[in-house]
Amino acid sequence: TLNKEFDAVLVPAPFLKKVYKKSGVNIPIFLLPCGIYIDDLLSMPIKDKKNTPFVFGCSATFLPRKNQEILLNAFLNKFGNNKNIKLKLHGRYGDIKLINKLKKIIREKKAKNVELILGPLEQKNYVNFLNSLDCYVLVSKGEGFSITPRESISLGIPTIISNNTAHKELAQTPFFIPLKSKIKEPADYRWLFGKYCGYNFNIIQKDLEQALEEVYNN
C-alpha cells in the first residue's frame, strides 16, 4: 500500500527506516521526530530549584505495562512515609484491578505522602501537574513513542525512564536517566487484542530505588 499509494514515508525514529526498508518499502523514507504540543511547557521557566516537599511523579494510563506498582513500591521502600518527599501518580483511566491494588498498598503502608489522581486533566491543570514535579518517572515495560518524558524535559525536570523499546531513542541523549530494562516478559495485550503479543521488558526495583535516591540527593 505504501509503495503504491504514497510518494514518501515519515517515521519518528532512525531504526524504523531500517525496519520499513527490510519490510519492502522502496519509496523514500524520511525521519521526522515525534510531534508533540509543548508550547505551554516551553513558555514556562526552566526548573532551577527543588520543591518542599520534593515531588516525584508519573502520568500514565493505569496498566501493568506502565509499571506504576513497581514505582510505588520502590518509592515507599526507599523513602517510607517521609513527609518531605511525595509521589504523585496520575492516570486518565485504567485497569480497575491495578488501581485498587495501588490503593491497597497505600492504605496498608499508611502512606500519607502518595497522591493518586484519577481522571483526565484539562491542559492547564496537566501543565501545572508536570510543573509541580521535581522528578518525572516512567519505567514502563514497553512504549510507543513516549510523549510525557519529552514533556518533562522541556520543563527541565530530571526524568527517569526504562531503557527499552521506544525509550531507547531517548536514553541515547544526555537528558534522561535510563534504567537497565532486560527482564523479558510476555506482553499482555488481552485487554486490547484478546491475547499476549510479543514481549515487554522489566526493570529491577533496586535499580529504581537507587535512581530515586540519586535524583533526590543531587
Side-chain angles (χ1 to χ4, degrees), residues 54 56 78-79 135 137 139 160-161 177-179 204-218:
F54 189 99
F56 292 96
K78 176 54 62 176
F79 302 116
C135 179
V137 187
V139 289
I160 300 170
I161 57 173
I177 302 156
L179 297 184
I204 296 171
Q205 182 176 316
K206 279 292 180 185
D207 291 346
L208 177 54
E209 291 176 15
Q210 290 173 7
L212 296 175
E213 185 176 42
E214 177 70 19
V215 174
Y216 175 69
N217 289 333
N218 298 288

mmCIF file with all atom_site columns, all heavy atoms in Angstrom, residues 54 56 78-79 135 137 139 160-161 177-179 204-218:
data_model
loop_
_atom_site.group_PDB
_atom_site.id
_atom_site.type_symbol
_atom_site.label_atom_id
_atom_site.label_alt_id
_atom_site.label_comp_id
_atom_site.label_asym_id
_atom_site.label_entity_id
_atom_site.label_seq_id
_atom_site.pdbx_PDB_ins_code
_atom_site.Cartn_x
_atom_site.Cartn_y
_atom_site.Cartn_z
_atom_site.occupancy
_atom_site.B_iso_or_equiv
_atom_site.pdbx_formal_charge
_atom_site.auth_seq_id
_atom_site.auth_comp_id
_atom_site.auth_asym_id
_atom_site.auth_atom_id
_atom_site.pdbx_PDB_model_num
ATOM 1   N N   . PHE A 1 54  ? 9.853  17.523 48.261 1.00 0.00 ? 54  PHE A N   1
ATOM 2   C CA  . PHE A 1 54  ? 10.375 17.086 46.970 1.00 0.00 ? 54  PHE A CA  1
ATOM 3   C C   . PHE A 1 54  ? 9.337  16.146 46.343 1.00 0.00 ? 54  PHE A C   1
ATOM 4   O O   . PHE A 1 54  ? 8.825  15.257 47.008 1.00 0.00 ? 54  PHE A O   1
ATOM 5   C CB  . PHE A 1 54  ? 11.696 16.342 47.175 1.00 0.00 ? 54  PHE A CB  1
ATOM 6   C CG  . PHE A 1 54  ? 12.451 16.033 45.912 1.00 0.00 ? 54  PHE A CG  1
ATOM 7   C CD1 . PHE A 1 54  ? 13.505 16.835 45.515 1.00 0.00 ? 54  PHE A CD1 1
ATOM 8   C CD2 . PHE A 1 54  ? 12.124 14.927 45.147 1.00 0.00 ? 54  PHE A CD2 1
ATOM 9   C CE1 . PHE A 1 54  ? 14.219 16.548 44.361 1.00 0.00 ? 54  PHE A CE1 1
ATOM 10  C CE2 . PHE A 1 54  ? 12.823 14.625 43.995 1.00 0.00 ? 54  PHE A CE2 1
ATOM 11  C CZ  . PHE A 1 54  ? 13.880 15.442 43.595 1.00 0.00 ? 54  PHE A CZ  1
ATOM 12  N N   . PHE A 1 56  ? 8.166  13.443 43.352 1.00 0.00 ? 56  PHE A N   1
ATOM 13  C CA  . PHE A 1 56  ? 8.297  12.533 42.215 1.00 0.00 ? 56  PHE A CA  1
ATOM 14  C C   . PHE A 1 56  ? 6.915  12.366 41.605 1.00 0.00 ? 56  PHE A C   1
ATOM 15  O O   . PHE A 1 56  ? 5.902  12.461 42.301 1.00 0.00 ? 56  PHE A O   1
ATOM 16  C CB  . PHE A 1 56  ? 8.809  11.160 42.664 1.00 0.00 ? 56  PHE A CB  1
ATOM 17  C CG  . PHE A 1 56  ? 10.224 11.148 43.163 1.00 0.00 ? 56  PHE A CG  1
ATOM 18  C CD1 . PHE A 1 56  ? 10.495 11.234 44.522 1.00 0.00 ? 56  PHE A CD1 1
ATOM 19  C CD2 . PHE A 1 56  ? 11.281 11.055 42.264 1.00 0.00 ? 56  PHE A CD2 1
ATOM 20  C CE1 . PHE A 1 56  ? 11.799 11.214 44.992 1.00 0.00 ? 56  PHE A CE1 1
ATOM 21  C CE2 . PHE A 1 56  ? 12.597 11.032 42.730 1.00 0.00 ? 56  PHE A CE2 1
ATOM 22  C CZ  . PHE A 1 56  ? 12.858 11.117 44.085 1.00 0.00 ? 56  PHE A CZ  1
ATOM 23  N N   . LYS A 1 78  ? 12.125 3.019  49.659 1.00 0.00 ? 78  LYS A N   1
ATOM 24  C CA  . LYS A 1 78  ? 13.275 3.907  49.814 1.00 0.00 ? 78  LYS A CA  1
ATOM 25  C C   . LYS A 1 78  ? 12.991 5.053  50.791 1.00 0.00 ? 78  LYS A C   1
ATOM 26  O O   . LYS A 1 78  ? 13.833 5.412  51.610 1.00 0.00 ? 78  LYS A O   1
ATOM 27  C CB  . LYS A 1 78  ? 13.674 4.458  48.443 1.00 0.00 ? 78  LYS A CB  1
ATOM 28  C CG  . LYS A 1 78  ? 14.822 5.479  48.453 1.00 0.00 ? 78  LYS A CG  1
ATOM 29  C CD  . LYS A 1 78  ? 16.078 4.984  49.160 1.00 0.00 ? 78  LYS A CD  1
ATOM 30  C CE  . LYS A 1 78  ? 16.692 3.777  48.502 1.00 0.00 ? 78  LYS A CE  1
ATOM 31  N NZ  . LYS A 1 78  ? 17.970 3.396  49.161 1.00 0.00 ? 78  LYS A NZ  1
ATOM 32  N N   . PHE A 1 79  ? 11.807 5.625  50.724 1.00 0.00 ? 79  PHE A N   1
ATOM 33  C CA  . PHE A 1 79  ? 11.537 6.843  51.491 1.00 0.00 ? 79  PHE A CA  1
ATOM 34  C C   . PHE A 1 79  ? 10.489 6.674  52.590 1.00 0.00 ? 79  PHE A C   1
ATOM 35  O O   . PHE A 1 79  ? 10.333 7.566  53.431 1.00 0.00 ? 79  PHE A O   1
ATOM 36  C CB  . PHE A 1 79  ? 11.097 7.973  50.552 1.00 0.00 ? 79  PHE A CB  1
ATOM 37  C CG  . PHE A 1 79  ? 12.100 8.309  49.486 1.00 0.00 ? 79  PHE A CG  1
ATOM 38  C CD1 . PHE A 1 79  ? 11.802 8.110  48.151 1.00 0.00 ? 79  PHE A CD1 1
ATOM 39  C CD2 . PHE A 1 79  ? 13.352 8.798  49.824 1.00 0.00 ? 79  PHE A CD2 1
ATOM 40  C CE1 . PHE A 1 79  ? 12.726 8.425  47.156 1.00 0.00 ? 79  PHE A CE1 1
ATOM 41  C CE2 . PHE A 1 79  ? 14.287 9.111  48.841 1.00 0.00 ? 79  PHE A CE2 1
ATOM 42  C CZ  . PHE A 1 79  ? 13.967 8.923  47.506 1.00 0.00 ? 79  PHE A CZ  1
ATOM 43  N N   . CYS A 1 135 ? 10.939 15.437 39.830 1.00 0.00 ? 135 CYS A N   1
ATOM 44  C CA  . CYS A 1 135 ? 11.482 14.325 39.049 1.00 0.00 ? 135 CYS A CA  1
ATOM 45  C C   . CYS A 1 135 ? 10.328 13.568 38.417 1.00 0.00 ? 135 CYS A C   1
ATOM 46  O O   . CYS A 1 135 ? 9.374  13.210 39.106 1.00 0.00 ? 135 CYS A O   1
ATOM 47  C CB  . CYS A 1 135 ? 12.312 13.393 39.934 1.00 0.00 ? 135 CYS A CB  1
ATOM 48  S SG  . CYS A 1 135 ? 12.994 11.958 39.053 1.00 0.00 ? 135 CYS A SG  1
ATOM 49  N N   . VAL A 1 137 ? 9.050  10.165 36.427 1.00 0.00 ? 137 VAL A N   1
ATOM 50  C CA  . VAL A 1 137 ? 9.460  8.758  36.357 1.00 0.00 ? 137 VAL A CA  1
ATOM 51  C C   . VAL A 1 137 ? 8.477  7.979  35.484 1.00 0.00 ? 137 VAL A C   1
ATOM 52  O O   . VAL A 1 137 ? 7.283  7.945  35.777 1.00 0.00 ? 137 VAL A O   1
ATOM 53  C CB  . VAL A 1 137 ? 9.512  8.113  37.754 1.00 0.00 ? 137 VAL A CB  1
ATOM 54  C CG1 . VAL A 1 137 ? 10.109 6.712  37.661 1.00 0.00 ? 137 VAL A CG1 1
ATOM 55  C CG2 . VAL A 1 137 ? 10.300 8.972  38.743 1.00 0.00 ? 137 VAL A CG2 1
ATOM 56  N N   . VAL A 1 139 ? 8.853  4.181  34.084 1.00 0.00 ? 139 VAL A N   1
ATOM 57  C CA  . VAL A 1 139 ? 9.666  2.964  33.927 1.00 0.00 ? 139 VAL A CA  1
ATOM 58  C C   . VAL A 1 139 ? 8.816  1.844  33.337 1.00 0.00 ? 139 VAL A C   1
ATOM 59  O O   . VAL A 1 139 ? 8.844  0.709  33.791 1.00 0.00 ? 139 VAL A O   1
ATOM 60  C CB  . VAL A 1 139 ? 10.310 2.540  35.265 1.00 0.00 ? 139 VAL A CB  1
ATOM 61  C CG1 . VAL A 1 139 ? 11.410 3.510  35.654 1.00 0.00 ? 139 VAL A CG1 1
ATOM 62  C CG2 . VAL A 1 139 ? 9.259  2.448  36.385 1.00 0.00 ? 139 VAL A CG2 1
ATOM 63  N N   . ILE A 1 160 ? 13.517 9.972  34.828 1.00 0.00 ? 160 ILE A N   1
ATOM 64  C CA  . ILE A 1 160 ? 13.976 8.582  34.890 1.00 0.00 ? 160 ILE A CA  1
ATOM 65  C C   . ILE A 1 160 ? 13.098 7.746  33.962 1.00 0.00 ? 160 ILE A C   1
ATOM 66  O O   . ILE A 1 160 ? 11.866 7.799  34.056 1.00 0.00 ? 160 ILE A O   1
ATOM 67  C CB  . ILE A 1 160 ? 13.883 8.031  36.320 1.00 0.00 ? 160 ILE A CB  1
ATOM 68  C CG1 . ILE A 1 160 ? 14.759 8.852  37.280 1.00 0.00 ? 160 ILE A CG1 1
ATOM 69  C CG2 . ILE A 1 160 ? 14.276 6.555  36.373 1.00 0.00 ? 160 ILE A CG2 1
ATOM 70  C CD1 . ILE A 1 160 ? 14.539 8.514  38.751 1.00 0.00 ? 160 ILE A CD1 1
ATOM 71  N N   . ILE A 1 161 ? 13.727 6.980  33.065 1.00 0.00 ? 161 ILE A N   1
ATOM 72  C CA  . ILE A 1 161 ? 12.971 6.113  32.161 1.00 0.00 ? 161 ILE A CA  1
ATOM 73  C C   . ILE A 1 161 ? 13.578 4.716  32.138 1.00 0.00 ? 161 ILE A C   1
ATOM 74  O O   . ILE A 1 161 ? 14.743 4.520  32.467 1.00 0.00 ? 161 ILE A O   1
ATOM 75  C CB  . ILE A 1 161 ? 12.923 6.672  30.722 1.00 0.00 ? 161 ILE A CB  1
ATOM 76  C CG1 . ILE A 1 161 ? 14.345 6.892  30.178 1.00 0.00 ? 161 ILE A CG1 1
ATOM 77  C CG2 . ILE A 1 161 ? 12.095 7.943  30.657 1.00 0.00 ? 161 ILE A CG2 1
ATOM 78  C CD1 . ILE A 1 161 ? 14.390 7.273  28.713 1.00 0.00 ? 161 ILE A CD1 1
ATOM 79  N N   . ILE A 1 177 ? 17.687 9.805  32.609 1.00 0.00 ? 177 ILE A N   1
ATOM 80  C CA  . ILE A 1 177 ? 18.354 8.854  33.487 1.00 0.00 ? 177 ILE A CA  1
ATOM 81  C C   . ILE A 1 177 ? 17.757 7.484  33.148 1.00 0.00 ? 177 ILE A C   1
ATOM 82  O O   . ILE A 1 177 ? 16.655 7.149  33.609 1.00 0.00 ? 177 ILE A O   1
ATOM 83  C CB  . ILE A 1 177 ? 18.110 9.204  34.964 1.00 0.00 ? 177 ILE A CB  1
ATOM 84  C CG1 . ILE A 1 177 ? 18.598 10.621 35.246 1.00 0.00 ? 177 ILE A CG1 1
ATOM 85  C CG2 . ILE A 1 177 ? 18.792 8.198  35.880 1.00 0.00 ? 177 ILE A CG2 1
ATOM 86  C CD1 . ILE A 1 177 ? 17.936 11.280 36.422 1.00 0.00 ? 177 ILE A CD1 1
ATOM 87  N N   . PRO A 1 178 ? 18.426 6.688  32.296 1.00 0.00 ? 178 PRO A N   1
ATOM 88  C CA  . PRO A 1 178 ? 17.856 5.410  31.871 1.00 0.00 ? 178 PRO A CA  1
ATOM 89  C C   . PRO A 1 178 ? 18.193 4.280  32.839 1.00 0.00 ? 178 PRO A C   1
ATOM 90  O O   . PRO A 1 178 ? 19.286 4.237  33.406 1.00 0.00 ? 178 PRO A O   1
ATOM 91  C CB  . PRO A 1 178 ? 18.517 5.175  30.506 1.00 0.00 ? 178 PRO A CB  1
ATOM 92  C CG  . PRO A 1 178 ? 19.839 5.869  30.609 1.00 0.00 ? 178 PRO A CG  1
ATOM 93  C CD  . PRO A 1 178 ? 19.673 7.019  31.576 1.00 0.00 ? 178 PRO A CD  1
ATOM 94  N N   . LEU A 1 179 ? 17.257 3.368  33.025 1.00 0.00 ? 179 LEU A N   1
ATOM 95  C CA  . LEU A 1 179 ? 17.462 2.191  33.860 1.00 0.00 ? 179 LEU A CA  1
ATOM 96  C C   . LEU A 1 179 ? 17.518 0.944  32.988 1.00 0.00 ? 179 LEU A C   1
ATOM 97  O O   . LEU A 1 179 ? 16.706 0.791  32.075 1.00 0.00 ? 179 LEU A O   1
ATOM 98  C CB  . LEU A 1 179 ? 16.329 2.040  34.872 1.00 0.00 ? 179 LEU A CB  1
ATOM 99  C CG  . LEU A 1 179 ? 16.157 3.139  35.912 1.00 0.00 ? 179 LEU A CG  1
ATOM 100 C CD1 . LEU A 1 179 ? 15.038 2.751  36.881 1.00 0.00 ? 179 LEU A CD1 1
ATOM 101 C CD2 . LEU A 1 179 ? 17.435 3.391  36.673 1.00 0.00 ? 179 LEU A CD2 1
ATOM 102 N N   . ILE A 1 204 ? 14.721 -3.778 37.467 1.00 0.00 ? 204 ILE A N   1
ATOM 103 C CA  . ILE A 1 204 ? 14.942 -4.281 38.824 1.00 0.00 ? 204 ILE A CA  1
ATOM 104 C C   . ILE A 1 204 ? 14.567 -3.160 39.797 1.00 0.00 ? 204 ILE A C   1
ATOM 105 O O   . ILE A 1 204 ? 15.030 -2.019 39.645 1.00 0.00 ? 204 ILE A O   1
ATOM 106 C CB  . ILE A 1 204 ? 16.408 -4.701 39.018 1.00 0.00 ? 204 ILE A CB  1
ATOM 107 C CG1 . ILE A 1 204 ? 16.739 -5.877 38.081 1.00 0.00 ? 204 ILE A CG1 1
ATOM 108 C CG2 . ILE A 1 204 ? 16.678 -5.083 40.475 1.00 0.00 ? 204 ILE A CG2 1
ATOM 109 C CD1 . ILE A 1 204 ? 18.210 -6.225 38.045 1.00 0.00 ? 204 ILE A CD1 1
ATOM 110 N N   . GLN A 1 205 ? 13.732 -3.484 40.774 1.00 0.00 ? 205 GLN A N   1
ATOM 111 C CA  . GLN A 1 205 ? 13.248 -2.449 41.694 1.00 0.00 ? 205 GLN A CA  1
ATOM 112 C C   . GLN A 1 205 ? 14.389 -1.724 42.394 1.00 0.00 ? 205 GLN A C   1
ATOM 113 O O   . GLN A 1 205 ? 14.337 -0.496 42.580 1.00 0.00 ? 205 GLN A O   1
ATOM 114 C CB  . GLN A 1 205 ? 12.296 -3.051 42.726 1.00 0.00 ? 205 GLN A CB  1
ATOM 115 C CG  . GLN A 1 205 ? 11.716 -2.011 43.681 1.00 0.00 ? 205 GLN A CG  1
ATOM 116 C CD  . GLN A 1 205 ? 10.697 -2.588 44.633 1.00 0.00 ? 205 GLN A CD  1
ATOM 117 O OE1 . GLN A 1 205 ? 9.833  -3.377 44.246 1.00 0.00 ? 205 GLN A OE1 1
ATOM 118 N NE2 . GLN A 1 205 ? 10.784 -2.203 45.908 1.00 0.00 ? 205 GLN A NE2 1
ATOM 119 N N   . LYS A 1 206 ? 15.428 -2.453 42.789 1.00 0.00 ? 206 LYS A N   1
ATOM 120 C CA  . LYS A 1 206 ? 16.559 -1.827 43.493 1.00 0.00 ? 206 LYS A CA  1
ATOM 121 C C   . LYS A 1 206 ? 17.223 -0.756 42.632 1.00 0.00 ? 206 LYS A C   1
ATOM 122 O O   . LYS A 1 206 ? 17.692 0.264  43.140 1.00 0.00 ? 206 LYS A O   1
ATOM 123 C CB  . LYS A 1 206 ? 17.581 -2.885 43.908 1.00 0.00 ? 206 LYS A CB  1
ATOM 124 C CG  . LYS A 1 206 ? 17.234 -3.632 45.185 1.00 0.00 ? 206 LYS A CG  1
ATOM 125 C CD  . LYS A 1 206 ? 17.311 -2.700 46.398 1.00 0.00 ? 206 LYS A CD  1
ATOM 126 C CE  . LYS A 1 206 ? 16.961 -3.434 47.686 1.00 0.00 ? 206 LYS A CE  1
ATOM 127 N NZ  . LYS A 1 206 ? 16.926 -2.501 48.848 1.00 0.00 ? 206 LYS A NZ  1
ATOM 128 N N   . ASP A 1 207 ? 17.299 -0.995 41.316 1.00 0.00 ? 207 ASP A N   1
ATOM 129 C CA  . ASP A 1 207 ? 17.879 -0.004 40.409 1.00 0.00 ? 207 ASP A CA  1
ATOM 130 C C   . ASP A 1 207 ? 17.062 1.283  40.436 1.00 0.00 ? 207 ASP A C   1
ATOM 131 O O   . ASP A 1 207 ? 17.611 2.394  40.421 1.00 0.00 ? 207 ASP A O   1
ATOM 132 C CB  . ASP A 1 207 ? 17.936 -0.546 38.980 1.00 0.00 ? 207 ASP A CB  1
ATOM 133 C CG  . ASP A 1 207 ? 18.947 -1.668 38.819 1.00 0.00 ? 207 ASP A CG  1
ATOM 134 O OD1 . ASP A 1 207 ? 19.792 -1.853 39.719 1.00 0.00 ? 207 ASP A OD1 1
ATOM 135 O OD2 . ASP A 1 207 ? 18.892 -2.362 37.787 1.00 0.00 ? 207 ASP A OD2 1
ATOM 136 N N   . LEU A 1 208 ? 15.748 1.134  40.467 1.00 0.00 ? 208 LEU A N   1
ATOM 137 C CA  . LEU A 1 208 ? 14.878 2.308  40.529 1.00 0.00 ? 208 LEU A CA  1
ATOM 138 C C   . LEU A 1 208 ? 15.047 3.025  41.860 1.00 0.00 ? 208 LEU A C   1
ATOM 139 O O   . LEU A 1 208 ? 15.110 4.267  41.902 1.00 0.00 ? 208 LEU A O   1
ATOM 140 C CB  . LEU A 1 208 ? 13.422 1.891  40.319 1.00 0.00 ? 208 LEU A CB  1
ATOM 141 C CG  . LEU A 1 208 ? 12.373 3.006  40.435 1.00 0.00 ? 208 LEU A CG  1
ATOM 142 C CD1 . LEU A 1 208 ? 12.693 4.169  39.515 1.00 0.00 ? 208 LEU A CD1 1
ATOM 143 C CD2 . LEU A 1 208 ? 10.972 2.451  40.154 1.00 0.00 ? 208 LEU A CD2 1
ATOM 144 N N   . GLU A 1 209 ? 15.116 2.270  42.939 1.00 0.00 ? 209 GLU A N   1
ATOM 145 C CA  . GLU A 1 209 ? 15.305 2.896  44.252 1.00 0.00 ? 209 GLU A CA  1
ATOM 146 C C   . GLU A 1 209 ? 16.576 3.730  44.281 1.00 0.00 ? 209 GLU A C   1
ATOM 147 O O   . GLU A 1 209 ? 16.596 4.849  44.811 1.00 0.00 ? 209 GLU A O   1
ATOM 148 C CB  . GLU A 1 209 ? 15.346 1.820  45.338 1.00 0.00 ? 209 GLU A CB  1
ATOM 149 C CG  . GLU A 1 209 ? 14.011 1.130  45.562 1.00 0.00 ? 209 GLU A CG  1
ATOM 150 C CD  . GLU A 1 209 ? 14.100 0.002  46.577 1.00 0.00 ? 209 GLU A CD  1
ATOM 151 O OE1 . GLU A 1 209 ? 15.118 -0.061 47.308 1.00 0.00 ? 209 GLU A OE1 1
ATOM 152 O OE2 . GLU A 1 209 ? 13.163 -0.815 46.647 1.00 0.00 ? 209 GLU A OE2 1
ATOM 153 N N   . GLN A 1 210 ? 17.646 3.196  43.713 1.00 0.00 ? 210 GLN A N   1
ATOM 154 C CA  . GLN A 1 210 ? 18.910 3.932  43.670 1.00 0.00 ? 210 GLN A CA  1
ATOM 155 C C   . GLN A 1 210 ? 18.800 5.193  42.829 1.00 0.00 ? 210 GLN A C   1
ATOM 156 O O   . GLN A 1 210 ? 19.336 6.242  43.188 1.00 0.00 ? 210 GLN A O   1
ATOM 157 C CB  . GLN A 1 210 ? 20.024 3.026  43.128 1.00 0.00 ? 210 GLN A CB  1
ATOM 158 C CG  . GLN A 1 210 ? 20.421 1.905  44.079 1.00 0.00 ? 210 GLN A CG  1
ATOM 159 C CD  . GLN A 1 210 ? 21.396 0.920  43.462 1.00 0.00 ? 210 GLN A CD  1
ATOM 160 O OE1 . GLN A 1 210 ? 21.890 1.122  42.356 1.00 0.00 ? 210 GLN A OE1 1
ATOM 161 N NE2 . GLN A 1 210 ? 21.672 -0.164 44.168 1.00 0.00 ? 210 GLN A NE2 1
ATOM 162 N N   . ALA A 1 211 ? 18.070 5.104  41.710 1.00 0.00 ? 211 ALA A N   1
ATOM 163 C CA  . ALA A 1 211 ? 17.893 6.277  40.851 1.00 0.00 ? 211 ALA A CA  1
ATOM 164 C C   . ALA A 1 211 ? 17.066 7.355  41.552 1.00 0.00 ? 211 ALA A C   1
ATOM 165 O O   . ALA A 1 211 ? 17.388 8.548  41.469 1.00 0.00 ? 211 ALA A O   1
ATOM 166 C CB  . ALA A 1 211 ? 17.225 5.865  39.547 1.00 0.00 ? 211 ALA A CB  1
ATOM 167 N N   . LEU A 1 212 ? 16.021 6.937  42.251 1.00 0.00 ? 212 LEU A N   1
ATOM 168 C CA  . LEU A 1 212 ? 15.208 7.910  43.006 1.00 0.00 ? 212 LEU A CA  1
ATOM 169 C C   . LEU A 1 212 ? 16.056 8.618  44.055 1.00 0.00 ? 212 LEU A C   1
ATOM 170 O O   . LEU A 1 212 ? 15.986 9.855  44.208 1.00 0.00 ? 212 LEU A O   1
ATOM 171 C CB  . LEU A 1 212 ? 14.027 7.191  43.686 1.00 0.00 ? 212 LEU A CB  1
ATOM 172 C CG  . LEU A 1 212 ? 12.971 6.535  42.792 1.00 0.00 ? 212 LEU A CG  1
ATOM 173 C CD1 . LEU A 1 212 ? 11.959 5.773  43.651 1.00 0.00 ? 212 LEU A CD1 1
ATOM 174 C CD2 . LEU A 1 212 ? 12.264 7.554  41.929 1.00 0.00 ? 212 LEU A CD2 1
ATOM 175 N N   . GLU A 1 213 ? 16.852 7.846  44.772 1.00 0.00 ? 213 GLU A N   1
ATOM 176 C CA  . GLU A 1 213 ? 17.720 8.420  45.804 1.00 0.00 ? 213 GLU A CA  1
ATOM 177 C C   . GLU A 1 213 ? 18.754 9.373  45.203 1.00 0.00 ? 213 GLU A C   1
ATOM 178 O O   . GLU A 1 213 ? 19.018 10.449 45.755 1.00 0.00 ? 213 GLU A O   1
ATOM 179 C CB  . GLU A 1 213 ? 18.410 7.300  46.575 1.00 0.00 ? 213 GLU A CB  1
ATOM 180 C CG  . GLU A 1 213 ? 19.243 7.804  47.759 1.00 0.00 ? 213 GLU A CG  1
ATOM 181 C CD  . GLU A 1 213 ? 19.821 6.660  48.549 1.00 0.00 ? 213 GLU A CD  1
ATOM 182 O OE1 . GLU A 1 213 ? 20.292 5.671  47.937 1.00 0.00 ? 213 GLU A OE1 1
ATOM 183 O OE2 . GLU A 1 213 ? 19.836 6.745  49.784 1.00 0.00 ? 213 GLU A OE2 1
ATOM 184 N N   . GLU A 1 214 ? 19.321 8.980  44.060 1.00 0.00 ? 214 GLU A N   1
ATOM 185 C CA  . GLU A 1 214 ? 20.327 9.807  43.395 1.00 0.00 ? 214 GLU A CA  1
ATOM 186 C C   . GLU A 1 214 ? 19.759 11.165 42.989 1.00 0.00 ? 214 GLU A C   1
ATOM 187 O O   . GLU A 1 214 ? 20.362 12.213 43.206 1.00 0.00 ? 214 GLU A O   1
ATOM 188 C CB  . GLU A 1 214 ? 20.879 9.069  42.169 1.00 0.00 ? 214 GLU A CB  1
ATOM 189 C CG  . GLU A 1 214 ? 21.894 9.852  41.354 1.00 0.00 ? 214 GLU A CG  1
ATOM 190 C CD  . GLU A 1 214 ? 23.227 10.032 42.052 1.00 0.00 ? 214 GLU A CD  1
ATOM 191 O OE1 . GLU A 1 214 ? 23.522 9.270  42.997 1.00 0.00 ? 214 GLU A OE1 1
ATOM 192 O OE2 . GLU A 1 214 ? 23.980 10.941 41.637 1.00 0.00 ? 214 GLU A OE2 1
ATOM 193 N N   . VAL A 1 215 ? 18.557 11.147 42.388 1.00 0.00 ? 215 VAL A N   1
ATOM 194 C CA  . VAL A 1 215 ? 17.948 12.399 41.974 1.00 0.00 ? 215 VAL A CA  1
ATOM 195 C C   . VAL A 1 215 ? 17.580 13.252 43.193 1.00 0.00 ? 215 VAL A C   1
ATOM 196 O O   . VAL A 1 215 ? 17.803 14.466 43.210 1.00 0.00 ? 215 VAL A O   1
ATOM 197 C CB  . VAL A 1 215 ? 16.697 12.141 41.107 1.00 0.00 ? 215 VAL A CB  1
ATOM 198 C CG1 . VAL A 1 215 ? 15.976 13.448 40.803 1.00 0.00 ? 215 VAL A CG1 1
ATOM 199 C CG2 . VAL A 1 215 ? 17.093 11.450 39.800 1.00 0.00 ? 215 VAL A CG2 1
ATOM 200 N N   . TYR A 1 216 ? 17.042 12.601 44.222 1.00 0.00 ? 216 TYR A N   1
ATOM 201 C CA  . TYR A 1 216 ? 16.659 13.344 45.428 1.00 0.00 ? 216 TYR A CA  1
ATOM 202 C C   . TYR A 1 216 ? 17.863 14.026 46.079 1.00 0.00 ? 216 TYR A C   1
ATOM 203 O O   . TYR A 1 216 ? 17.796 15.190 46.503 1.00 0.00 ? 216 TYR A O   1
ATOM 204 C CB  . TYR A 1 216 ? 15.990 12.397 46.424 1.00 0.00 ? 216 TYR A CB  1
ATOM 205 C CG  . TYR A 1 216 ? 15.669 13.065 47.743 1.00 0.00 ? 216 TYR A CG  1
ATOM 206 C CD1 . TYR A 1 216 ? 14.673 14.049 47.824 1.00 0.00 ? 216 TYR A CD1 1
ATOM 207 C CD2 . TYR A 1 216 ? 16.358 12.725 48.909 1.00 0.00 ? 216 TYR A CD2 1
ATOM 208 C CE1 . TYR A 1 216 ? 14.390 14.667 49.030 1.00 0.00 ? 216 TYR A CE1 1
ATOM 209 C CE2 . TYR A 1 216 ? 16.061 13.332 50.128 1.00 0.00 ? 216 TYR A CE2 1
ATOM 210 C CZ  . TYR A 1 216 ? 15.072 14.305 50.173 1.00 0.00 ? 216 TYR A CZ  1
ATOM 211 O OH  . TYR A 1 216 ? 14.790 14.925 51.361 1.00 0.00 ? 216 TYR A OH  1
ATOM 212 N N   . ASN A 1 217 ? 18.987 13.311 46.148 1.00 0.00 ? 217 ASN A N   1
ATOM 213 C CA  . ASN A 1 217 ? 20.177 13.856 46.810 1.00 0.00 ? 217 ASN A CA  1
ATOM 214 C C   . ASN A 1 217 ? 20.943 14.863 45.971 1.00 0.00 ? 217 ASN A C   1
ATOM 215 O O   . ASN A 1 217 ? 21.712 15.662 46.497 1.00 0.00 ? 217 ASN A O   1
ATOM 216 C CB  . ASN A 1 217 ? 21.127 12.719 47.203 1.00 0.00 ? 217 ASN A CB  1
ATOM 217 C CG  . ASN A 1 217 ? 20.586 11.892 48.353 1.00 0.00 ? 217 ASN A CG  1
ATOM 218 O OD1 . ASN A 1 217 ? 19.810 12.372 49.186 1.00 0.00 ? 217 ASN A OD1 1
ATOM 219 N ND2 . ASN A 1 217 ? 20.975 10.625 48.399 1.00 0.00 ? 217 ASN A ND2 1
ATOM 220 N N   . ASN A 1 218 ? 20.732 14.787 44.655 1.00 0.00 ? 218 ASN A N   1
ATOM 221 C CA  . ASN A 1 218 ? 21.517 15.658 43.766 1.00 0.00 ? 218 ASN A CA  1
ATOM 222 C C   . ASN A 1 218 ? 20.680 16.458 42.782 1.00 0.00 ? 218 ASN A C   1
ATOM 223 O O   . ASN A 1 218 ? 21.035 16.596 41.640 1.00 0.00 ? 218 ASN A O   1
ATOM 224 C CB  . ASN A 1 218 ? 22.535 14.794 42.992 1.00 0.00 ? 218 ASN A CB  1
ATOM 225 C CG  . ASN A 1 218 ? 23.514 14.100 43.919 1.00 0.00 ? 218 ASN A CG  1
ATOM 226 O OD1 . ASN A 1 218 ? 24.378 14.723 44.490 1.00 0.00 ? 218 ASN A OD1 1
ATOM 227 N ND2 . ASN A 1 218 ? 23.332 12.781 44.091 1.00 0.00 ? 218 ASN A ND2 1
#
